[in-house]
Amino acid sequence: MAGRVIAIAQQKGGAGKTTLAAQLAVAWAREGARVALLDIDPQGSLAAWVERRHARLGGAPLGFDFAALPGWRATQWVEEQMRGADLVLVDGPPHAETEARIAVRAAGLVLVPMQPSALDRWATEATLKMARAERRGALVVLNRVPPRSGLAERIAGELAEAGQAVAQSRVGNRVALVYAMEAGEGVVESVGASLAAAEIRALAAEVRRAAGG
């Protein structure tokens, strides 16, 4: 069976795309999945995290295949990785219509992180519109959710009423995620008993089910 391709897309910056890409890749790899991770964001934030991971591991395997490529080469790399990987995860760029569309077009599922605010809700519509135009299923995940957020509940309800799939799993605004990214780690390996790790594991399982993997 060919690997499932998941693109993390969000045209609004600061939604936590790269953090989710890194954390999901580690979570899936530690569950035994063969994971391929691609960074097509010109900012290279995911590639910087991978460099830190290389340094921390001292030459040991990352746990997944990784490449940082411009958008025009991304499709070929994804197709090659699908032959051997269970899951191919693409971190797309913000504010880059052409390359973002390449990431969405290559995917079977588009994961759309969104902070629970009205501004983020309005800005996210452009990404969802792109997914619909490419006839790709999209799953919104509420990210960086503050504790006891009534607004998060309201936004999730509005999206669901509009027919948009919303992940039941949510990711809080966790300091553990910040530290893990700085260290080139996943929270499931650095602080495996933490609430942050539990949230990432739950999201990883839900996204994999949604992708059909």
Side-chain angles (χ1 to χ4, degrees):
M1 180 182 294
R4 307 296 183 177
V5 182
I6 301 162
I8 301 185
Q10 173 57 275
Q11 292 191 37
K12 184 181 185 301
K17 280 188 317 82
T18 297
T19 296
L20 287 188
Q23 298 302 316
L24 288 174
V26 173
W28 286 327
R30 286 181 67 86
E31 291 171 356
R34 296 166 298 176
V35 180
L37 184 60
L38 175 63
D39 185 4
I40 64 171
D41 187 344
Q43 294 179 0
S45 299
L46 187 58
W49 173 81
V50 169
E51 287 182 6
R52 288 178 177 269
R53 186 168 180 81
H54 268 302
R56 185 182 69 81
L57 294 173
L62 289 171
F64 47 81
D65 291 332
F66 174 76
L69 298 170
W72 63 272
R73 292 175 57 193
T75 301
Q76 181 180 358
W77 189 88
V78 167
E79 290 175 351
E80 292 172 352
Q81 293 298 317
M82 286 175 65
R83 301 187 189 107
D86 299 311
L87 295 155
V88 182
L89 186 58
V90 182
D91 183 18
H95 309 303
E97 180 75 15
T98 299
E99 292 194 332
R101 192 172 294 277
I102 288 171
V104 168
R105 192 172 293 158
L109 176 69
V110 182
L111 187 65
V112 185
M114 186 183 78
Q115 296 190 75
S117 76
L119 182 60
D120 286 73
R121 167 70 181 91
W122 301 331
T124 296
E125 186 55 39
T127 304
L128 296 175
K129 182 178 179 180
M130 180 188 299
R132 290 193 295 268
E134 296 296 334
R135 299 182 180 179
R136 297 296 187 265
L139 180 66
V140 171
V141 55
L142 293 176
N143 193 30
R144 295 177 175 167
V145 178
R148 298 177 296 280
S149 175
L151 182 57
E153 298 296 337
R154 180 164 64 82
I155 288 175
E158 291 174 355
L159 287 166
E161 287 178 6
Q164 174 57 53
V166 182
Q168 292 185 353
S169 307
R170 299 176 184 177
V171 179
N173 193 15
R174 308 292 179 197
V175 174
L177 289 169
V178 177
Y179 289 148
M181 294 301 291
E182 289 178 352
E185 296 176 325
V187 288
V188 298
E189 57 191 358
S190 61
V191 284
S194 67
L195 186 54
E199 290 172 344
I200 291 297
R201 288 193 194 97
L203 181 63
E206 184 173 357
V207 172
R208 192 167 182 178
R209 288 193 301 270

